[in-house]
């Protein structure tokens, strides 16, 4: 085992924690509060932020969309540069937080901020903090940002230790206004994040596997307990599980896959599926196509997570059943696409240099075509 692990984000977990943001932002910093389509103005979160920021110099930027676009974000870059903002406060889900990570780097750069999505190394970034309103992505305490470019149907990511939020407020009472679609999306995204770092091939760490299995089991319990999704107990557990699924620890020093995500991002970029919806239509078929590579971990997952020690194929069905039981389709044919879908996705992956995906680099474009082909069939034969 050999790895570095670093996570500097202070986690402020529990009810009433929004007011604790004053411990992390000094009064002489000019703050920009960034949010999405306005849900925070209806559910009381914005009001709590305004109260907390009493005595600060601050302004706001709203309208960051789901799957945040560089086109929208570049308007905020101008504001940050013009008003000499020192601190960015993200109030929202993964899209707003990812958007703020982009703002943090693009605002201190003279060129086109999209350069960072094309691989330019981040050398400096403004400070940011996050008030999470939708548990799913783990963006609140990780170094990654996923940004879309509408004009070219692209969705790409960058990562830098400089964009870890300084703090993340995880107060599950802000989740009461989430609808079923977003709760289910959050559960599926966190489940797939854990799988991307676990469902590969056997490793030697007793801790990493055990921890991943605990997260997967927890998410499976929440899916089975879907009827109680409006309770505080259910919601705060999702908030903690989703956070731990992608704060970097379970993936450190172990093989990682991420092919489901890379294919899913291209599907969202072309056809607008929610992030988690795109994952649920890829993962089951990816597991089937790559079954020879995945079977040992699938068997382990069956035994440890689903209590199904019989065989590894049935585990894929258990995953599908779990997503479907909370209303997330597992077939791309459930969504509106077009007859160019396979061509569009494989060409986009190719142009982004993603022709050898997966933990062994053996998920090639012909395998991606096969995965999509299977997902496009209305029934599993
Ligand atoms: O825009 P608002 O009004 O806030 O509404 C949002 C949005 O419509 C709404 N919402 C959020 N909190 C709410 C709420 N509605 C009512 N009550 C609340 N408390 O939910 C909708 C979806 O929000 P969004 O932020 O887009 O969802 P999510 O957190 O799932 O983020 C998805 C984005 O994160 C990226 C995805 O690709 C996608 O762009 N990811 C980021 C990752 C990372 N940074 O590590 C990893 C992930 O794998 C993922 O790729
Ligand atoms: Zn994800």
């Amino acid at each position: 085992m050999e790895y570095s692990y670093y996570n500097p984000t202070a986690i402020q977990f529990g009810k009433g924690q929004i007011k604790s943001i004053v411990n992390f932002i000094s009064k002489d910093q000019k703050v920009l509060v960034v949010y999405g389509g306005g849900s925070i103005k209806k559910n009381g979160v914005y009001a709590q932020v305004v109260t907390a920021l009493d005595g600060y110099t601050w302004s706001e930027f709203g309208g960051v969309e789901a799957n945040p676009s560089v086109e929208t974000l570049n308007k905020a870059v101008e504001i940050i540069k013009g008003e000499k903002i020192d601190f960015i406060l993200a109030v929202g889900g993964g899209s707003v937080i990812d958007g703020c990570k982009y703002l943090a780097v693009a605002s201190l750069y003279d060129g086109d901020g999209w350069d960072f999505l094309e691989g330019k190394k981040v050398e400096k970034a403004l400070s940011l903090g996050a008030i999470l309103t939708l548990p799913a992505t783990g963006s609140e305490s990780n170094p990654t940002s996923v940004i879309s470019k509408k004009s070219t149907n692209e969705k790409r990511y960058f990562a830098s230790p400089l964009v870890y939020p300084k703090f993340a407020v995880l107060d599950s009472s802000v989740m009461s206004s989430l609808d079923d679609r977003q709760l289910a999306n959050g559960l599926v995204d966190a489940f797939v994040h854990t799988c991307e770092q676990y469902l590969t091939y056997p490793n030697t760490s007793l801790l990493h596997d055990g921890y991943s299995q605990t997260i997967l089991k927890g998410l499976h319990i929440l899916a089975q307990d879907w009827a109680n999704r409006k309770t505080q107990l259910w919601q705060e557990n999702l908030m903690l599980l989703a956070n731990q699924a992608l704060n970097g620890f379970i993936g450190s020093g172990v093989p990682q896959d991420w092919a489901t995500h890379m294919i899913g991002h291209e599907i969202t970029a072309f056809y607008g599926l929610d992030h988690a919806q795109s994952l649920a239509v890829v993962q089951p078929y990816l597991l089937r196509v790559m079954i020879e590579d995945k079977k040992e971990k699938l068997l382990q997952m069956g035994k440890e997570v689903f209590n199904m020690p019989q065989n590894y194929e049935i585990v894929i069905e258990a995953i599908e059943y779990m997503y479907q039981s909370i209303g997330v389709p597992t077939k791309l044919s459930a969504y509106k696409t077009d007859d160019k879908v396979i061509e569009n996705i494989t060409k986009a992956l190719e142009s982004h240099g993603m022709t050898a995906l997966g933990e062994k680099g053996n998920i090639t474009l012909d395998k991606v075509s096969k995965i999509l082909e299977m997902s496009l069939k209305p029934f599993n034969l």
Side-chain angles (χ1 to χ4, degrees), residues 306-323:
F306 291 107
N307 199 17
M308 288 178 153
Q310 300 87 340
N311 74 54
Y312 48 86
E313 275 154 349
I314 200 168
V315 179
I316 304 175
E317 285 168 37
I319 295 171
E320 279 174 328
Y321 176 77
M322 185 181 121
Y323 298 164

Side-chain angles (χ1 to χ4, degrees), residues 248-265:
F249 180 69
I250 61 167
S252 49
V254 299
Q256 302 191 26
D257 183 341
W258 295 106
T260 295
H261 268 73
M262 295 308 115
I263 302 167
H265 284 171

Side-chain angles (χ1 to χ4, degrees), residues 37-39 67 94-95 98 133 142 144 155 174 177 193 261 265 275:
S39 64
N67 306 308
S95 293
D98 284 4
T133 65
N142 75 33
T144 307
K155 183 170 184 177
V174 308
S177 52
H193 291 160
H261 268 73
H265 284 171
H275 172 61

Side-chain angles (χ1 to χ4, degrees), residues 35-43 45 63-68 91-98 101 132-140 142-148 155-158 173-179 181-182 185-186 189 193 196 246 258 261-262 264-265 268 274-276 278-279:
Y35 55 92
S39 64
I40 64 160
K41 294 210 166 164
K42 292 184 209 134
N43 61 11
V45 173
V64 176
E65 59 278 76
N67 306 308
V91 189
S95 293
V96 169
I97 301 171
D98 284 4
K101 291 174 179 174
L132 181 68
T133 65
L134 196 181
T137 62
S139 183
E140 67 277 8
N142 75 33
T144 307
S145 166
V146 187
I147 305 295
S148 298
K155 183 170 184 177
R156 310 210 53 192
Y157 73 92
F158 76 92
S173 60
V174 308
M175 294 169 64
S176 58
S177 52
L178 283 169
D179 60 17
R181 170 172 158 188
Q182 298 305 343
N185 279 348
D189 195 19
H193 291 160
E196 300 274 31
L246 198 47
W258 295 106
H261 268 73
M262 295 308 115
H265 284 171
T268 297
D274 292 348
H275 172 61
S278 77
L279 305 176

